[in-house]
Amino acid sequence: MSMPLGEAVTVEEAGIWDAEAIAQVAAATFPLACPPGAADDDIADFIERTLSAEKFAEYLSSPERIVLEARADGEIVGYLMAVDAAPNDPGIDAVITARPAIEISKLYVVPGHHGAGVSAALMDAILARAAALGRAGLWLGVNQENTRARRFYEKHGFSVVGTRTFAVGTQTHDDFVMQRPV
């Protein structure tokens, strides 16, 4: 299903009742962000352990998590999950300078809705939320081979401040750590 440019996209905070639908979006979109060499078994394992409906129910119940959903024609076509806490990795903590900062942990849009403003709407919503909470910045990790995502983040004011590794199953991938002020 393709969405014409400019079609109305609404973004709102997800509720516990959205866990199953967001997990389905996560399962459909996470593989798109993985580098070409990522093993299918590792991707499936990551989805099962990290992006299941049960895990989203936990995320949606956590006071440190912000889960936003983007809808078009009543269906969830993208989501953003953020963590409103200091980085737990000392290497990342050392390079984040806009503090306090919120981590954008996940920002995904289903195929057929790319380029239609869904990601930008989610980004605008988390920027507004961060400002309302008095946060100084946002940060994220993005796979070094994901050129499309990196361009999107750069367009939205993010710059590379470091690197990290990210495990997907048995494989370790290289990410850029990016941040921007709010």
Side-chain angles (χ1 to χ4, degrees):
M1 170 199 300
S2 186
M3 184 170 91
L5 287 175
E7 183 173 332
V9 174
T10 59
V11 175
E12 58 188 29
E13 186 132 4
I16 192 82
W17 52 86
D18 295 312
E20 184 71 38
I22 294 173
Q24 290 173 1
V25 170
T29 56
F30 178 74
L32 304 175
C34 293
D40 290 343
D41 289 348
D42 286 334
I43 293 171
D45 179 63
F46 185 89
I47 290 169
E48 183 179 322
R49 286 184 305 102
T50 311
L51 303 174
S52 67
E54 293 78 16
K55 290 301 287 186
F56 273 102
E58 290 176 28
Y59 302 146
L60 288 159
S61 301
S62 169
E64 290 185 342
R65 303 272 177 162
I66 299 166
V67 182
L68 304 175
E69 63 184 26
R71 289 183 179 264
D73 289 331
E75 77 177 76
I76 297 174
V77 296
Y79 76 99
L80 181 150
M81 182 166 59
V83 181
D84 188 11
N88 58 12
D89 178 317
I92 294 172
D93 194 48
V95 299
I96 302 303
T97 56
R99 294 176 176 274
I102 293 176
E103 174 193 7
I104 297 176
S105 172
K106 313 268 182 280
L107 195 171
Y108 295 108
V109 175
V110 296
H113 293 270
H114 293 173
V118 178
S119 295
L122 286 163
M123 183 62 71
D124 289 347
I126 194 62
L127 281 165
R129 174 62 80 83
L133 292 170
R135 303 305 181 251
L138 297 171
W139 74 273
L140 56 88
V142 61
N143 186 276
Q144 292 180 11
E145 295 181 46
N146 192 338
T147 306
R148 180 184 185 138
R150 287 190 357 247
R151 277 196 311 259
F152 171 80
Y153 295 128
E154 288 166 358
K155 178 180 166 187
H156 288 274
F158 286 81
S159 58
V160 174
V161 295
T163 60
R164 73 171 183 189
T165 57
F166 186 79
V168 177
T170 60
Q171 295 182 308
T172 302
H173 302 284
D174 295 315
D175 282 1
F176 285 121
V177 175
M178 303 179 83
Q179 76 170 350
R180 70 153 286 166
V182 170

